[in-house]
Amino acid sequence: DSARSGFSFKGIKDYLECYRSGKLTPSQVAKNIIAMLEDCDKSTPPLRAIVQWDQEQIMLMAEASTTRYRNKCTLSCLDGIPVCLKEEFKVVPYHHRVGTVYLGTQPETEDATVAKKLREAGAIIIGVSNMHELGTGTTGCNPNRYHKIPRNPYNPNHFTGGSSSGSAAAVAAGLCPVAIGTDGGGSVRIPASFCGVVGLKGTFGRISCHGCLPLSYSTISVGPICTSVADAAIVYSILAEPDLLYPYGLKQPKATLSDMCAPDLKDLKLGVDWTFFKACDAEVLSACEKAVKHLQSLGASVVEVSLPEMEEARVAHVICILSEMRDFLQPDFNKHFHEMNLETRASLALGSQFTALDYIKANRQRTRTMRFLQEIFSTVNCILTPAIPCTAPRIHECDLLTGSSDMSFTVRSMRFMQLGNFTGIPGLVVPIGYSTAGLPISLQVMAKWWDEAVLLRIGLKLEQFRDQTRKPSIYYDILA
């Protein structure tokens, strides 16, 4: 709990305080959200964070939660908390479009595991959020008729980042304190960073992907986007466990939040590869270096490490993710080519150029990189990097019509992200400041497999570094 003057995002704790004190009920909150969702659609430009929502569904969940609060029999600390899920997840009764115009022609009749768990926890699912078409990019730019371009709440003329674009925009704009995304090449952490909120990518397999379109089975992890590290910890603790329907996570150790609230960082060693770390814009570097010094002031020691073969790992990650996506989407590519955005066609066409030998060699590189990391994590508790080398890019008029395809930006934006996806280690991004243009800057912490607890512990301390939180230019105060 960090008492701070000035603006602060409304988080889970604020909602629970309203419900427990009787100041507001989940039903009243749901009515506020419905009014705000209507406003979002009418605003110029429209926010386009939530792309499918249903007033009746929202009110049903809210009324059930209101009754539980009245009878003092709530289900969890997510009871009555508004949440949204990326359109990549199956959520009853919405269309599972995954950012396309051709998928999800019928409403869903079965929830993804994550949606089911959120319902069982009593959360109010306010709808499904916008995403980059088929998760193929890092801007969030999706010009098709169902989706349109989601706007960055800090500056609506800038992108949100992708592919979990709407999830980050919804949280930063105050529509909900919790959103769920998926991350195959930074798709949770990039939009969270660009929109100035917290994003957690769990260890590969930690949170079930069942009911999520299996675009890339070896790189994608599920994770929460939240207004604070504490909220990310709450959501993580509810979602992280084995799921019989998702074999990749069956053998995982029990998720814990051990030492998360320790008063300092005295026993921790933070690994930094300074050559790798410094490959970013000057403003980003300056903020991130100061944040590292802040962690040192809390007793952590910074240890210089060397991340070998990062260029090889970067190329191998691209080969793996695009080969797997191209393989899974082969029928779509053949049948729905002309209904896809131009950028998606280009990415999948590139994926078709890789051979089976390329894929085998890329996976050999994965084994090498995982061994390097095992050695590094025997000497340090985590690895620190900037989250993204730059701030959110500007939206151009032509992007609204034809989309945006900037390969150099895509490659650059994933620079610090790919290691986590390629090797399956967990990563957390925490906002630490703003550029002179007022756009958010974040730092990333990565840890060894299954050690999300240390990320959350460091993340809590990182939050104290930011002297103030700036209010986004698009912000809805649901509890006002």
Side-chain angles (χ1 to χ4, degrees), residues 163-399:
S163 64
S164 309
S165 50
S167 295
V171 171
L175 292 172
C176 51
V178 173
I180 308 297
T182 60
D183 191 313
S187 289
V188 160
R189 293 162 292 155
I190 292 171
S193 305
F194 279 163
C195 293
V197 288
V198 171
L200 171 67
K201 178 199 96 68
T203 303
F204 178 76
R206 178 61 106 178
I207 299 172
S208 174
C209 271
H210 175 73
C212 185
L213 200 71
L215 292 165
S216 166
Y217 50 82
S218 79
T219 66
I220 289 181
S221 298
V222 175
I225 295 174
C226 301
T227 55
S228 70
V229 174
D231 286 4
I234 290 169
V235 180
Y236 165 75
S237 66
I238 285 171
L239 298 181
E241 65 174 4
D243 173 15
L244 291 172
L245 299 169
Y246 184 66
Y248 298 118
L250 287 179
K251 295 275 196 284
Q252 62 177 277
K254 192 166 171 51
T256 73
L257 299 176
S258 61
D259 294 333
M260 182 174 153
C261 299
D264 55 46
L265 302 174
K266 278 191 177 130
D267 53 331
L268 295 185
K269 291 184 175 138
L270 318 176
V272 179
D273 178 331
W274 287 110
T275 309
F276 187 58
F277 191 102
K278 287 178 177 174
C280 57
D281 291 354
E283 275 189 304
V284 173
L285 179 60
S286 169
C288 289
E289 284 179 329
K290 285 177 192 154
V292 173
K293 286 200 175 84
H294 165 74
L295 296 176
Q296 271 181 296
S297 75
L298 294 165
S301 53
V302 171
V303 178
E304 244 189 273
V305 295
S306 167
L307 294 168
E309 300 180 10
M310 288 308 292
E311 183 57 20
E312 289 83 347
R314 184 185 72 73
V315 173
H317 165 262
V318 171
I319 291 169
C320 285
I321 192 168
L322 280 182
S323 299
E324 288 169 8
M325 288 176 92
R326 181 70 165 88
D327 172 53
F328 178 72
L329 294 167
Q330 179 70 36
D332 299 43
F333 192 68
N334 293 341
K335 197 173 164 193
H336 299 285
F337 180 82
H338 293 291
E339 293 167 274
M340 290 174 169
N341 290 335
L342 295 169
E343 183 191 11
T344 308
R345 296 183 209 174
S347 298
L348 293 176
L350 173 64
S352 68
Q353 298 306 300
F354 299 128
T355 64
L357 191 59
D358 292 329
Y359 186 70
I360 290 165
K361 284 182 173 172
N363 276 292
R364 281 187 188 149
Q365 180 62 47
R366 194 194 311 246
T367 307
R368 282 178 68 83
T369 305
M370 287 170 86
R371 286 221 184 103
F372 295 141
L373 284 178
Q374 265 174 332
E375 282 169 32
I376 289 167
F377 285 127
S378 69
T379 61
V380 297
N381 300 91
C382 69
I383 295 167
L384 302 178
T385 69
I388 315 178
C390 56
T391 52
R394 203 173 175 80
I395 298 169
H396 299 287
E397 273 306 304
C398 56
D399 300 336

